[in-house]
Amino acid sequence: QRETDMTDKKIDIREQITNNIIELMEKNTGEWLAPFAGLASMPTNPQTEKSYSGMNAFYLALLGETYWATFKQWQAMGAKIIKGSKATHIMRPQTITRKDDNGAPQTDDKGNPKTFTMYKSYPVFSASQVTGWDAPELPAINNVKRIENADKYLRNLGSVINFTDAASAFYNRATDEITLPKQCLFNDTEGFYSTWCHEEVHKTGAANRLNRTKGKKFGDREYAFEELVAEMGAAMLCVQLQVTPTVRQDHAEYIGSWLKALRSDKKYLLDAAVLAGEAIDFMDAQQTKTTKAAA
C-alpha cells in the first residue's frame, strides 16, 4: 500500500509500514525480493547522498526505487514533483525525555535522564515521481568484475567454508563454520552468492560478535526472527555488492511464520531491520581491518 493516508495522527507509523511490507510480501511470497534486483544501490537520498537505513531502507527497497527525498529536498535540487503523485511515508526516530507531573525531566538512580524513542512519520517521493532531475551516472562494472568484488568482500570475512555435494546451506554456531553446496549445484551464480551472504549474516550473530539469540528449533519465534534478520541482511548486502538477491526454496516456508509474527508485533520487523543493519556494519568494518592487515 504505497499511498498511505496519514491524516490520523494517532496512526503508529511502525505499524503502518509493517502492514505495508506484509502486503508487499504477500503479493508474491516466492518472489518478494524481486524489486531489489532493479536497484542501483540501497535506497538513497540524492541530496544528502546518504543511504536510508534499517526498516526504511528495507521498505523503500521493496518498492523497487533507489532515490527518495522529501518535497523540499527535490525542490532544492531543481526537481518538480509530478502532479497527483502520492507520498510514501517513512519514519524518523526521536528521543524523548520523560517528564514528571511538574514538567521536570525524570532521572534514573544514576541521575541520567529517562528517555524513550518515538517514531515520527515523514513523506518522501521517489525519482520516478519527479521531473527535472537525472540520476547520477554510475560507473559500469562488467559481470566478471562484479562477481570478483563480491567474492573478495565475502572472503575478507575470514569464514571457514565447507563446500559439499549436499543441497543444504547453514551456519554452525558450535564450530563457527559455514557449510555451502558447491557452486556448480546452484542454478546461477547470483543464487550462490545470495546464499553465502545469508549465512555470513547468521555468523555475525555468534556470541563473540553481535550476540543475537538463535532459536532452539525450526519454527519457534526466535528461530524465525533470526532467519528474518539473515534474509533482510542478505538482501541488503546483495544490493550493496551488486548481486541479485534470491529467495531460497528452503526458506520459502519461513515466510508464513514471519508474516504471522509481524502481524502480532509491530516491533518485530523494526528490530530485525536494525539487527540486519548492524550485521552489515560489522561486515563492512571487517573489510577495513582486512585491508589494513594486508598493507
Side-chain angles (χ1 to χ4, degrees):
Q1 182 179 339
R2 188 163 178 161
E3 298 84 6
T4 303
D5 181 7
M6 298 302 295
T7 55
D8 183 355
K9 294 183 180 180
K10 293 182 179 179
I11 290 177
D12 187 320
I13 185 59
R14 294 175 302 172
E15 185 170 15
Q16 185 64 66
I17 291 177
T18 297
N19 291 338
N20 291 352
I21 289 176
I22 290 172
E23 184 178 323
L24 289 166
M25 292 174 71
E26 285 180 333
K27 282 183 178 177
N28 192 339
T29 313
E31 297 295 335
W32 62 278
L33 284 177
F36 284 73
L39 299 178
S41 65
M42 281 310 293
T44 302
N45 185 305
Q47 187 188 55
T48 65
E49 298 184 347
K50 292 183 179 180
S51 296
Y52 291 92
S53 61
M55 196 169 174
N56 286 339
F58 189 73
Y59 176 39
L60 296 178
L62 275 176
L63 293 174
E65 299 272 4
T66 299
Y67 299 103
W68 299 82
T70 66
F71 182 93
K72 289 184 178 180
Q73 287 175 327
W74 283 121
Q75 195 174 48
M77 291 184 287
K80 185 178 180 180
I81 304 296
I82 297 172
K83 186 176 181 179
S85 297
K86 300 294 184 181
T88 294
H89 289 260
I90 56 177
M91 62 186 186
R92 179 185 291 118
Q94 289 185 320
T95 301
I96 308 296
T97 301
R98 296 185 183 278
K99 303 287 183 67
D100 60 23
D101 294 338
N102 296 320
Q106 294 183 13
T107 57
D108 58 22
D109 295 339
K110 297 181 179 179
N112 298 315
K114 290 183 178 181
T115 62
F116 66 95
T117 301
M118 184 174 72
Y119 293 89
K120 183 179 180 180
S121 166
Y122 71 101
V124 291
F125 296 85
S126 70
S128 65
Q129 295 176 295
V130 306
T131 57
W133 182 85
D134 295 318
E137 193 167 330
L138 301 175
I141 301 177
N142 64 44
N143 286 342
V144 173
K145 185 64 176 177
R146 180 170 55 87
I147 294 303
E148 283 180 355
N149 291 342
D151 197 78
K152 180 180 179 181
Y153 180 100
L154 293 169
R155 292 194 183 280
N156 278 345
L157 301 177
S159 301
V160 175
I161 310 289
N162 300 312
F163 293 102
T164 71
D165 292 317
S168 63
F170 58 91
Y171 165 65
N172 187 327
R173 284 204 177 192
T175 62
D176 199 32
E177 296 177 351
I178 290 172
T179 294
L180 291 173
K182 293 176 181 176
Q183 188 169 350
C184 62
L185 298 178
F186 286 83
N187 293 328
D188 52 52
T189 302
E190 308 279 346
F192 170 71
Y193 283 98
S194 184
T195 298
W196 190 352
C197 287
H198 178 100
E199 302 307 334
E200 289 289 358
V201 176
H202 274 315
K203 183 187 161 194
T204 66
N208 62 328
R209 298 184 184 96
L210 299 178
N211 195 26
R212 291 192 306 272
T213 300
K214 173 71 172 176
K216 296 180 180 179
K217 61 180 180 179
F218 174 81
D220 69 23
R221 182 181 174 84
E222 287 76 20
Y223 194 105
F225 181 74
E226 172 61 18
E227 288 300 331
L228 180 56
V229 172
E231 284 286 84
M232 294 177 76
M236 292 189 279
L237 182 58
C238 281
V239 173
Q240 180 175 314
L241 298 178
Q242 295 185 301
V243 173
T244 303
T246 58
V247 178
R248 282 164 51 179
Q249 283 301 113
D250 59 329
H251 283 178
E253 56 193 303
Y254 293 151
I255 302 296
S257 62
W258 295 345
L259 297 181
K260 182 179 179 181
L262 292 176
R263 288 192 183 284
S264 63
D265 184 357
K266 58 179 174 285
K267 271 188 88 272
Y268 191 89
L269 180 62
L270 175 60
D271 291 344
V274 169
L275 293 176
E278 288 179 358
I280 294 175
D281 289 343
F282 183 89
M283 290 185 280
D284 285 348
Q286 287 183 270
Q287 305 301 309
T288 304
K289 292 176 183 177
T290 303
T291 303
K292 287 181 178 179

